[in-house]
Amino acid sequence: MPKTADHARLQELGPWLPAVYSVVITCKSEAQWLEGREESEKPKRWLLSSLGKHLHGSRPRNSYFPTWGSQDYSRGHHGRNFELRSSNLQPLNAVSLQAGVSANPLPKEHVETQVKEESSFSSKSEKAESTLSIVVVGASGELARKKIFPSLFALFYEDCLPKNFTIFGYARSTMTDEELRNMISRGLTCRIDKRKNCNEKMDQFLQRCFYHSGQYSSEDHFSKLDKKLKEKEGGRSSNRLFYLSIPPSIFVDAVRCARRRASSEQGWTRVIVEKPFGRDSKSSVELTRGLKQYLSEDQIFRIDHYLGEELIENLLVLRFSNLVFEPLWSRNYIRNVQVTFSEDIGIEGRGKYFDNYGIIRDIMQNHLLQILALFAMETPVSLDAEDIRNEKVKVLRSMRPLQLEDVVVGQYKGCTEGITSYPAYTDDPNVTKNSLTPTFAAATFFINNARWDGVPFLMIAGKGLHSKRAEVRVQFRHVPGNLYKQKFGTDLDKATNELVLRSQPDEAVYLKINNKVPGLGLRLDCSDLNLLYKSRYPREVPDAYERLLLDAVEGERRLFIRSDELDAAWALFTPLLKELEEKKVMPELYPYGSRGPEGVHYLAAKHNVRWGDLSCDDL
């Protein structure tokens, strides 16, 4: 075979690719297939397809592999270059065909980086020498104490963290290592199972935890943190994960200091950012611009803990792995979709934060809108993070702008039941007496595409309501020419089939159907085909933060929010929020512990929707 530019390019890759070189030079059939192609196409198609054929492999779920440079390996599949396995462990093409990938052959340094990464997996000594450093910025705060540290312990308890890892708490408070460990220990439990070595595991975990006090905007303090990190890393190849559990106003300062003074010199550096991601489109864009001065998009993990719930994972599995549902997933069979988040408590001392953001920014714009996008999206090309997020963005961009007449806002007021008195929202000392901030909101969305045209998506979020509930409820259309309609009287809504995916109070998936009551007569009843998690799966469901922290460690971005998703979400809500504030719309008052303001029933009636939890008894 005559030597071409293909051979020269392969020879440049070095002696560490003899197997791949052998595969390529023996691919005569592929060489013949390439005959007549443009010379510029040969190196790319020949080299990359051969690499893809040679390097197919898989990695265990809980293994940890070091990564060099900016190309991050995610759990089971990769970001933008060589993809070995998808999330379902099926081989993928050698090169991801996502938007933004250049059509030109990969530069030599990119190929070298990827193959060096792959070769490192076969080296046990390399794995043993790598280490992970997790820095919780804002370690003295409530979120860190109640969620982040307990979730990290749960991952350690389940052997999901690498062998060599260190956790550093960073905050302005003065604290010793031992004081931090005492604070953390009060929130640790062995809730997953009751193994006898629980206390031993706790002690081992706490010995990996250290503390450094410093200002969030001080590069000097972060330099001292970097020195401590290097001492614990002991000269190993290090990867660093920063969790920003601090107010958004100081995100950029903390990122600047971490990037300049405490980022990894040999491995990857990633930053988890907590919501809220701004108050509107303008502030969100400014925050993103500020973060991207120091980080690439692949380094930013915008966490929305609600996306780590079992409800989200099961929503995709239920739809895309069961033949019975996908044909029904359209306007032809679905009458409406209800996305509900209700809490039976008030703001519980969060008045200062909540009065600045309100229920729409706090819950609807992120948690519930993300669920809606996942529910309504088209089938992605693969389970790759970028493929899924691309489909979500398409849904958000297809949504009709929110109109004020399709929105109801409310605010809970104080009430007394028996001898128990419940405070009003404005009774909180950190809330102004004339506050117009809504604690309840309901909105109707429409998606202007072929699948969902005309189907109302009703979204409800509220505090101080009658129950704690988080669910997606799908109401199907009535049966055409139903032979049994006379058995339901004039209220055909009682015969409506419903599919419910519930996250709270107990994880469940159930389908409401009509069936005959046993007996001599013909009487119909509304029943449930039920999958109740606690009955079917007795093992406790992991906390959402555990899943998302593990994903961040492994570079899996599927459940994190991309910047263009954020822009599309704010584009939907910013005009509405501006109109509510400029017109000083008065929220409708509703008693604490009720079902919410009366206006929500008129909103449902406007779109010919009956709230699902009123049609027949729920589980």
Side-chain angles (χ1 to χ4, degrees):
M1 185 187 305
K3 289 191 175 182
T4 66
D6 315 279
H7 292 81
R9 186 173 296 274
L10 284 172
Q11 289 172 344
E12 289 176 356
L13 296 178
W16 38 262
L17 262 184
V20 177
Y21 182 82
S22 176
V23 169
V24 174
I25 64 174
T26 56
C27 286
K28 295 184 179 180
S29 60
E30 180 148 339
Q32 294 169 356
W33 181 80
L34 284 171
E35 286 295 325
R37 306 286 288 186
E38 293 183 9
E39 190 67 16
S40 61
E41 283 294 306
K42 292 184 181 180
K44 178 183 69 174
R45 297 295 298 273
W46 196 354
L47 173 62
L48 296 183
S49 64
S50 300
L51 284 175
K53 293 173 185 175
H54 180 71
L55 295 178
H56 281 316
S58 61
R59 290 186 284 279
R61 170 70 171 80
N62 294 332
S63 298
Y64 175 78
F65 300 95
T67 308
W68 287 262
S70 61
Q71 305 297 328
D72 300 334
Y73 275 91
S74 60
R75 185 190 334 156
H77 57 277
H78 312 298
R80 288 188 173 272
N81 294 320
F82 295 120
E83 295 192 3
L84 308 184
R85 296 271 175 173
S86 67
S87 294
N88 58 7
L89 299 182
Q90 296 301 313
L92 295 178
N93 293 331
V95 182
S96 172
L97 298 181
Q98 301 160 14
V101 178
S102 172
N104 295 324
L106 288 177
K108 171 186 173 183
E109 59 269 22
H110 286 192
V111 177
E112 288 180 347
T113 300
Q114 291 295 335
V115 184
K116 285 180 181 178
E117 289 172 357
E118 191 65 38
S119 66
S120 71
F121 298 149
S122 62
S123 172
K124 294 182 179 179
S125 61
E126 284 291 339
K127 286 190 239 180
E129 289 301 314
S130 65
T131 184
L132 172 67
S133 296
I134 302 174
V135 181
V136 181
V137 181
S140 59
E142 183 178 11
L143 177 63
R145 288 186 286 109
K146 291 185 176 181
K147 289 293 185 180
I148 302 174
F149 287 120
S151 295
L152 289 171
F153 170 66
L155 294 177
F156 171 73
Y157 190 70
E158 289 294 294
D159 297 323
C160 292
L161 293 179
K163 177 182 178 181
N164 300 308
F165 78 92
T166 303
I167 298 174
F168 260 87
Y170 184 95
R172 291 174 293 198
S173 306
T174 302
M175 196 184 309
T176 64
D177 292 344
E178 198 58 38
E179 288 172 335
L180 174 71
R181 291 165 184 163
N182 290 336
M183 182 195 79
I184 295 173
S185 65
R186 291 192 289 270
L188 300 186
T189 59
C190 296
R191 58 171 182 74
I192 297 178
D193 56 34
K194 304 296 181 183
R195 284 185 236 166
K196 295 180 180 179
N197 64 344
C198 177
N199 290 331
E200 179 184 344
K201 280 285 207 178
M202 281 189 182
D203 292 338
Q204 292 173 4
F205 176 78
L206 292 172
Q207 292 306 309
R208 305 284 192 102
C209 298
F210 304 91
Y211 185 78
H212 182 76
S213 177
Q215 297 296 316
Y216 301 128
S217 59
S218 172
E219 292 189 17
D220 181 57
H221 291 172
F222 272 82
S223 293
K224 294 177 181 177
L225 170 66
D226 178 63
K227 184 178 180 180
K228 288 186 176 180
L229 289 171
K230 288 179 177 177
E231 290 176 0
K232 301 301 179 184
E233 292 163 353
R236 302 183 188 94
S237 173
S238 64
N239 301 303
R240 294 182 181 179
L241 176 66
F242 290 83
Y243 195 122
L244 301 189
S245 179
I246 53 179
S249 58
I250 49 179
F251 279 170
V252 176
D253 285 338
V255 166
R256 169 178 53 81
C257 296
R259 173 66 181 84
R260 291 179 174 176
R261 303 299 180 188
S263 61
S264 174
E265 297 176 356
Q266 302 175 27
W268 51 254
T269 299
R270 298 170 187 155
V271 178
I272 298 178
V273 182
E274 269 282 352
K275 74 173 186 69
F277 313 116
R279 296 187 76 256
D280 51 26
S281 292
K282 181 180 178 181
S283 58
S284 175
V285 168
E286 290 175 353
L287 177 59
T288 299
R289 185 184 300 117
L291 293 175
K292 287 189 175 181
Q293 290 181 40
Y294 309 103
L295 302 171
S296 67
E297 177 66 30
D298 286 346
Q299 291 179 289
I300 304 172
F301 287 70
R302 299 174 187 84
I303 189 171
D304 182 342
H305 71 272
Y306 210 66
L307 294 183
E309 297 282 353
E310 283 294 326
L311 167 68
I312 301 301
E313 290 286 329
N314 213 17
L315 175 60
L316 299 181
V317 173
L318 191 74
R319 178 180 172 188
F320 296 123
S321 69
N322 293 285
L323 180 63
V324 67
F325 290 118
E326 178 59 23
L328 307 179
W329 221 261
S330 73
R331 61 186 178 88
N332 297 326
Y333 297 98
I334 292 179
R335 183 181 174 192
N336 66 78
V337 180
Q338 302 169 24
V339 184
T340 304
F341 179 93
S342 68
E343 291 186 319
D344 55 0
I345 59 174
I347 54 175
E348 302 293 311
R350 297 173 65 231
K352 185 176 181 180
Y353 163 82
F354 194 87
D355 204 45
N356 189 40
Y357 286 93
I359 196 74
I360 296 177
R361 293 183 175 95
D362 189 44
I363 302 295
M364 295 184 80
Q365 183 272 337
N366 39 69
H367 297 335
L368 301 192
L369 192 62
Q370 285 289 318
I371 293 175
L372 191 157
L374 284 166
F375 177 93
M377 72 181 187
E378 296 296 322
T379 305
V381 174
S382 72
L383 291 177
D384 182 85
E386 297 308 309
D387 290 334
I388 291 177
R389 297 196 289 188
N390 288 343
E391 296 302 329
K392 287 164 61 182
V393 171
K394 290 178 185 177
V395 171
L396 295 176
R397 289 176 176 171
S398 299
M399 294 176 72
R400 189 186 306 172
L402 274 175
Q403 304 296 322
L404 189 58
E405 57 266 25
D406 285 330
V407 176
V408 173
V409 292
Q411 186 184 100
Y412 66 81
K413 62 181 180 180
C415 67
T416 302
E417 293 183 4
I419 60 173
T420 305
S421 296
Y422 298 97
Y425 170 72
T426 52
D427 289 338
D428 188 286
N430 293 314
V431 175
T432 58
K433 294 300 180 184
N434 59 348
S435 174
L436 299 179
T437 301
T439 60
F440 177 98
T444 306
F445 295 86
F446 290 92
I447 302 173
N448 294 329
N449 64 21
R451 182 184 289 270
W452 298 113
D453 186 33
V455 177
F457 288 77
L458 280 81
M459 187 183 292
I460 286 184
K463 292 182 176 291
L465 297 174
H466 70 294
S467 65
K468 182 178 182 180
R469 181 185 296 267
E471 68 179 27
V472 177
R473 186 179 295 260
V474 183
Q475 288 189 344
F476 294 94
R477 296 190 181 278
H478 299 313
V479 177
N482 194 336
L483 296 175
Y484 296 96
K485 63 181 178 181
Q486 68 274 13
K487 300 298 179 181
F488 295 99
T490 58
D491 191 359
L492 289 180
D493 284 332
K494 290 183 179 179
T496 299
N497 299 127
E498 294 182 353
L499 174 65
V500 182
L501 292 87
R502 190 177 66 202
S503 177
Q504 295 176 0
D506 295 307
E507 291 86 355
V509 178
Y510 56 98
L511 181 66
K512 289 182 176 291
I513 63 169
N514 303 308
N515 69 286
K516 178 184 176 295
V517 177
L520 296 178
L522 181 58
R523 187 163 62 91
L524 302 189
D525 185 31
C526 177
S527 302
D528 300 314
L529 300 179
N530 171 36
L531 167 61
L532 190 62
Y533 274 50
K534 65 182 180 182
S535 299
R536 179 67 176 84
Y537 307 106
R539 191 173 186 271
E540 188 168 346
V541 177
D543 186 81
Y545 277 92
E546 296 171 29
R547 174 177 287 108
L548 294 173
L549 279 166
L550 181 59
D551 282 353
V553 168
E554 297 184 343
E556 170 57 74
R557 298 173 178 81
R558 184 163 48 95
L559 299 178
F560 293 88
I561 302 171
R562 205 169 60 188
S563 60
D564 56 344
E565 287 183 72
L566 198 58
D567 294 342
W570 277 120
L572 282 172
F573 281 95
T574 296
L576 171 68
L577 292 166
K578 184 178 180 181
E579 188 173 3
L580 286 170
E581 292 168 358
E582 288 180 348
K583 293 183 177 180
K584 298 187 184 299
V585 175
M586 181 73 67
E588 181 183 346
L589 298 180
Y590 61 94
Y592 189 106
S594 68
R595 290 183 177 271
E598 292 294 327
V600 73
H601 299 288
Y602 292 102
L603 178 65
K606 175 182 176 181
H607 299 289
N608 195 27
V609 172
R610 180 188 179 105
W611 293 117
D613 60 351
L614 301 179
S615 58
C616 60
D617 293 336
D618 277 336
L619 293 171

